[in-house]
Amino acid sequence: MQRKAYVPGLAALLVAFVAGCTADTATDGSATDSKAGGAKASAAAPGKYRTLREPCGSVERSTLKDLLPGATELPEDQRQQVYRGTASVTYDTDRRVGCRWKADAPDASHRLTVDFERVVSYDTAVSDDDRAQEVFAKKQAAAALPVPADPRDEKGQESSTGTPSPTTATTPKTPTTPTTPTTAPSTPAGTETPSGTATGTPDGLEPRVLDGLGDGAFIDDVLAGAGTGSTARHRTVSVVFRTSNVIVTIVYAEQPALTTGVPDSKELQEKAQSLARKLVEQVSG
């Protein structure tokens, strides 16, 4: 009688143990599935662009003729070679490509470089677009664009906080000594008065942020040379813009043949920006 009572009890314990193991397995499986599903839901969206354009074919022949005027004076075979350009050496053409062109003429030499960079974020919490914005911001910071002056400071008006600017603060007047000159010395004849910025860029054409060009853009302008033992001055204009997860950099430079020549900033900037607008359409299209 004791054996018959013991067997059903043992069977009940075995049933309870098996049921518990089954429940634990189901719980673990559902937790794993839930975690995996949550990771997929939080992954950032990929960038809009998965490939890059062929760089040496990105600039139209008519545009190259305008940017490289010296090429038109070359023999046909040499002219075609200039227009074909030279592809930049890169280790991953899915991520970065570029092309450069150059043409020399009796009066000046011109150089053009176009670079395409496709930014990819390897962080699932950061989208390709956000990572591209970070890369673009670093490029803009490296250009050290000048900060526009506050016109209120120039006029000596009060700031928004109500604190008078140094030019408006009242200070005790000091009697003027009769022997102190009241006029500035005149500029010697034949001496040019410097204008524009310290880098030689005319007023209104300083390095700056550009509006209406992709998702963000800026232009830089540098005049170099004319120092001791240097050759002619050469000007380099760079336009950098971002559209989604692709960053495009255009570098256009001119160096006159004569040491007295100075490249025209306005002309180079207009041509570089015109090319940038065409490339924006190509990339976005």
Side-chain angles (χ1 to χ4, degrees), residues 61-182:
R61 183 63 57 88
S62 58
T63 302
L64 289 174
K65 290 181 179 180
D66 184 40
L67 295 174
L68 307 171
T72 59
E73 303 176 10
L74 297 174
E76 177 64 20
D77 57 338
Q78 297 181 24
R79 182 167 62 250
Q80 296 304 323
Q81 183 177 358
V82 169
Y83 291 151
R84 280 194 294 270
T86 302
S88 303
V89 178
T90 61
Y91 298 98
D92 188 351
T93 55
D94 286 335
R95 293 288 305 277
R96 191 163 193 168
V97 294
C99 191
R100 61 184 184 275
W101 300 260
K102 63 177 181 178
D104 300 327
D107 58 338
S109 300
H110 292 83
R111 304 287 186 272
L112 173 66
T113 302
V114 175
D115 179 88
F116 297 88
E117 180 181 0
R118 185 174 68 91
V119 180
V120 177
S121 173
Y122 295 101
D123 187 346
T124 57
V126 180
S127 68
D128 292 347
D129 282 17
D130 290 341
R131 183 68 71 197
Q133 172 59 28
E134 293 177 3
V135 175
F136 175 81
K138 290 181 180 179
K139 291 179 179 290
Q140 182 172 325
L145 305 184
V147 179
D150 190 339
R152 294 174 299 180
D153 295 339
E154 296 179 0
K155 296 179 180 179
Q157 296 179 355
E158 295 184 356
S159 63
S160 58
T161 58
T163 304
S165 63
T167 57
T168 58
T170 59
T171 57
K173 294 184 179 181
T174 303
T176 304
T177 304
T179 58
T180 302
T182 57

